[in-house]
Amino acid sequence: MLYSLADMLSWRARTGGKEAMVTDMLFDLRSRHLTYLSLAVDGPPGGQALAAASRMGAPDTDARALPLEISEEELARAPHWDGGDTAQLDALMLAMPPLVVGPFGATHAPLAMASYAAGQAEPQDDDPRATEALDRYERLTRWLGGPVFARDGEVGSLSDLLFDFEANRINYLVVDNGKFFGHQQRALPFSALAHRAPGAKGGHLVLDLSQAEVEAAPEAQTVISGA
């Protein structure tokens, strides 16, 4: 079954003893695997916390809830940062070279992550492991809304990514043509992505498709429903 990642940004995450709201998702561009969830945690210590997507259970679409196999104690030990400072999440991403295996099922450098989140250290731009981490992990919120180009012109903006939970794999890009009349959201195979050009507002995507091929793609809701 396919799930809308953009829709899941407004879902509640259910942990062992607390609830949290999903505010962002990190994914590996090479494997297309979902790797981390950014959570706004209810109650102390508050702020945002980072948890591995490997702890995620099957999404509950009826309740708009995401079960996480994380205890309250594990959530309290997770890397935290102030909710309004997205730059701190960037710093945490810089601190994710594969040094040790942590309790969240993913490799990270916990001491470095804690110091970056607290503003006690500067990211080491010349560290090749940190560079590799930044190159590897992408933030969903930085992708959504960005312009999308076919080989022969602009075709719209990215409105969603469709995620196969069973395979832990992002399968489709959803492109919104932005038209008032003839409005459509087309689901395009992620493999059609030729290039992502970074930029101040999230950059843009380039597809190895023509405008005609984009317009002929199935509608996103049809792909989600499996019709």
Side-chain angles (χ1 to χ4, degrees), residues 3 35 53 70 89 109 128 150 164-165 171 181 208 219 224-225:
Y3 296 90
T35 53
I70 299 175
L89 178 53
D164 182 336
F165 169 75
N171 285 353
F181 295 105
D208 188 19
E219 292 195 23
I224 293 174
S225 64

Side-chain angles (χ1 to χ4, degrees), residues 35-36 50-56 68-80 99-111 113:
T35 53
Y36 291 92
L50 199 67
S54 59
R55 295 296 188 92
M56 185 173 71
L68 293 177
E69 297 177 2
I70 299 175
S71 68
E72 188 171 348
E73 292 75 18
E74 286 179 315
L75 188 62
R77 295 198 304 269
H80 283 72
L99 300 182
V100 298
V101 177
F104 296 92
T107 55
H108 61 277
L111 296 179
M113 292 173 84

Side-chain angles (χ1 to χ4, degrees), residues 84-132:
D85 189 353
T86 57
Q88 291 189 17
L89 178 53
D90 291 335
L92 287 175
M93 291 168 65
L94 271 175
M96 288 182 188
L99 300 182
V100 298
V101 177
F104 296 92
T107 55
H108 61 277
L111 296 179
M113 292 173 84
S115 63
Y116 288 151
Q120 299 170 356
E122 293 295 328
Q124 300 298 313
D125 293 334
D126 57 349
D127 186 339
R129 297 170 303 177
T131 301
E132 192 274 340

